[in-house]
Each structure stands twice: as C-alpha cells, then as structure tokens.
Amino acid sequence: MRYVELVKQLRRRNGLTQQQVADFLHIDRSTYAYYEGGRTKISVESLLNLSRLYQITLGQMVGEDVPADILADDTDYSTALIDDSIVRFAQLSREEQYLVILYRSGTDQQRRELLMQANELTAPDED
C-alpha cells in the first residue's frame, strides 16, 4: 500500500478530520488534502509527526510491516463513526481535541511533562 493511502486510512480510523490533522501538522487543510490525494509529496517531518500521532513506526508509516488491523480494507467507516470513543472525541472542543492529539503524538517523556504541567496549572492555589 502506498503511504498516501495509509495516511487517509489512519486519519479515518482515528476519527479525525483533514482540518484536525492539518492543524496538528501546522499546515493548510488544502496542503493536507493534497497529501492524501497524492498530489503533493509528504515531507519527512510530516511523516514523522504522523507516525507519532498514529503511534506507529516510520517504517510502518511508509508501508513496511504494517499490522493487518491498520490495513483492514473491510472497515466500514460509516459504522466506525458510531464507535463511542470517536463520538466522544468529536464532542470535544477544538482545543480539547488538540490537547489529545498533542498527548498522543508525544514521546513518553513529553507525555509525562504535559501531564505534570496540567497538574500544576489546575492545582488549587495555596494561600
């Protein structure tokens, strides 16, 4: 499978819009749409970020040793949208979705730091 097809399939399986992924990559939605359509080559930086977002290796991102469940062509995306986790994600505000994407795309260390910062920001003030 070409990686451009995988990019679209991964986005759909994760219940994300093109705009959400484009925002994550800090690019225009139209540029991302060109990625999915194969009209523009995906930069190495974007491929790395996408592999972090979807929690797969860069090798898997470009089509090497991709697990069968990622490539399942029989996925019915209309019923996948009913899945509770996708529905809940869609109900989050844009800022909340962005935080989830940031968390999922980070390394273990970055995730720990993000959680520590969130705890510090939400801790009650000690007067």
Side-chain angles (χ1 to χ4, degrees):
M1 171 179 283
R2 294 181 15 199
Y3 67 89
V4 293
E5 295 164 348
L6 181 61
V7 167
K8 184 175 185 176
Q9 191 168 8
L10 287 168
R11 177 183 60 78
R12 286 181 170 177
R13 288 206 60 177
N14 284 275
L16 299 171
T17 65
Q18 286 184 343
Q19 186 64 59
Q20 289 168 324
V21 177
D23 289 346
F24 172 74
L25 296 173
H26 304 289
I27 60 174
D28 290 334
R29 191 211 53 81
S30 61
T31 300
Y32 181 78
Y34 285 161
Y35 285 175
E36 283 192 2
R39 289 176 273 180
T40 301
K41 290 187 178 183
I42 302 175
S43 70
V44 173
E45 180 183 1
S46 290
L47 282 173
L48 282 168
N49 286 328
L50 288 169
S51 69
R52 289 183 190 121
L53 173 65
Y54 299 125
Q55 299 180 341
I56 62 174
T57 67
L58 185 57
Q60 291 170 330
M61 193 75 226
V62 296
E64 299 174 3
D65 301 322
V66 181
D69 62 327
I70 289 176
L71 297 177
D73 288 333
D74 59 348
T75 302
D76 180 356
Y77 295 113
S78 63
T79 57
L81 292 176
I82 297 171
D83 181 79
D84 189 48
S85 62
I86 294 172
V87 170
R88 279 193 249 162
F89 184 81
Q91 292 172 343
L92 296 174
S93 70
R94 192 175 182 108
E95 291 84 10
E96 291 169 323
Q97 290 176 354
Y98 183 67
L99 282 172
V100 170
I101 291 169
L102 281 177
Y103 179 83
R104 288 195 64 194
S105 66
T107 64
D108 288 341
Q109 179 62 32
Q110 290 169 328
R111 288 176 181 178
R112 282 190 294 274
E113 289 176 18
L114 183 61
L115 290 173
M116 286 176 17
Q117 289 175 3
N119 283 333
E120 288 174 16
L121 290 172
T122 58
D125 290 332
E126 296 180 18
D127 292 326

